[in-house]
């Protein structure tokens, strides 16, 4: 009888030692937090498809009109305050190309992206960088024809991402027409996506985020 009771007690003790703790269970079930940084391209996205953000656990920290320098300036106190697992930097140089704060060199644009990557990693988040979206017409800078500039900057951003081992999402190719402008079926105004454009962007970004979370 004593042997049976001892065996039962030992089984209970071993079960208590091997069962996952409440914290472990919570960690396993936690939905990763994905912070989205950028300008109006990301800012408008949640208006077109709020369900995507809610379902995937994405939080939109984008602000319309901002340059990459402005995104970087508030990066620690807005984007990183959410304690994200992943930070997605979406098309952050488009307003640089538009010279919203005046002329900016390619090197300055890339340096701003590099600093966001660095800050993300320091905060324990995995950075994901997207290309700048195509455009050959900024309605607030009608004198500009920026298609070639965007393609050039994208090449440098991709080279940066590759050199740092950061996931890079090419949103330009699937959204551009043969001349490097925003394909008409995907754009609201030549510079911003419409619902169809965001429907193209969403799965591409999600695939990259899912990949870095594995």
């Amino acid at each position: 009888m004593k042997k049976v009771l001892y065996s039962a007690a030992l089984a209970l003790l071993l079960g208590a030692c091997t069962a996952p703790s409440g914290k472990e269970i919570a960690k396993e079930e936690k939905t990763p937090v994905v912070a989205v940084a950028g300008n109006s391209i990301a800012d408008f996205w949640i208006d077109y498809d709020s369900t995507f953000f809610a379902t995937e656990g994405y939080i939109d920290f984008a602000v319309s009109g901002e340059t990459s320098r402005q995104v970087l300036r508030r990066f620690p106190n807005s984007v990183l305050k959410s304690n994200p697992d992943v930070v997605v930097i979406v098309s952050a140089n488009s307003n640089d190309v538009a010279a919203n704060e005046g002329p900016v060199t390619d090197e300055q644009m890339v340096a701003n992206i590099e600093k966001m990557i660095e800050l993300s990693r320091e905060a324990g988040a995995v950075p994901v960088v997207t290309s700048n979206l195509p455009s050959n017409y900024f309605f607030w800078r009608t004198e500009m024809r920026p298609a070639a500039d965007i393609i050039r900057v994208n090449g440098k951003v991709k080279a940066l991402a590759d050199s740092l081992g950061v996931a890079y999402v090419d949103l330009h190719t699937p959204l551009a027409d043969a001349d490097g402008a925003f394909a008409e079926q995907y754009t609201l105004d030549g510079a911003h996506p419409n619902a169809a454009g965001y429907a193209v962007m969403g799965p591409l970004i999600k695939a990259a985020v899912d990949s870095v979370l594995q």
Side-chain angles (χ1 to χ4, degrees):
M1 182 65 177
K2 289 182 179 179
K3 185 176 181 180
V4 172
L5 290 174
Y6 175 80
S7 297
L10 182 60
L12 287 171
L13 178 61
L14 289 173
C17 291
T18 57
S21 68
K23 288 183 178 179
E24 287 171 338
I25 292 171
K27 184 176 181 181
E28 290 171 1
E29 295 178 350
K30 176 181 177 290
T31 300
V33 175
V34 179
V36 179
N39 51 41
S40 56
I41 289 166
D43 188 20
F44 295 170
W45 187 3
I46 196 168
D47 296 326
Y48 275 94
D49 194 359
S50 60
T51 302
F52 177 85
F53 280 75
T55 301
E56 301 301 333
Y58 292 16
I59 305 173
D60 194 346
F61 287 97
V63 176
S64 295
E66 285 195 339
T67 62
S68 63
R69 186 180 70 87
Q70 291 171 314
V71 176
L72 174 59
R73 183 190 302 159
R74 63 181 176 81
F75 203 78
N77 293 318
S78 62
V79 179
L80 298 180
K81 282 290 186 180
S82 64
N83 192 28
D85 297 283
V86 179
V87 174
V88 184
I89 304 164
V90 179
S91 194
N93 301 124
S94 55
N95 286 327
D96 297 328
V97 175
N100 280 18
E101 286 192 294
V104 184
T105 67
D106 293 356
E107 290 70 27
Q108 289 170 323
M109 297 184 208
V110 172
N112 290 337
I113 301 298
E114 184 172 11
K115 187 62 177 179
M116 291 182 218
I117 291 170
E118 177 186 330
L119 291 172
S120 297
R121 285 175 162 169
E122 289 175 355
V126 181
V128 173
V129 177
T130 84
S131 68
N132 296 286
L133 270 58
S135 180
N136 203 31
Y137 175 77
F138 294 145
F139 63 85
W140 66 103
R141 292 282 191 273
T142 56
E143 73 281 5
M144 289 186 170
R145 292 296 177 266
D149 294 329
I150 292 171
I151 291 170
R152 184 186 69 250
V153 172
N154 279 346
K156 295 183 179 183
V157 172
K158 184 180 186 305
L160 171 71
D162 290 346
S163 71
L164 297 178
V166 173
Y168 175 84
V169 184
D170 178 12
L171 300 177
H172 187 281
T173 300
L175 295 173
D177 65 16
D179 297 320
F182 220 134
E184 186 176 351
Q185 67 269 31
Y186 294 131
T187 185
L188 178 69
D189 52 20
H192 298 89
N194 57 18
Y198 286 115
V200 172
M201 292 169 54
L204 295 173
I205 290 175
K206 182 181 184 307
V209 169
D210 291 348
S211 177
V212 301
L213 284 172
Q214 290 178 356

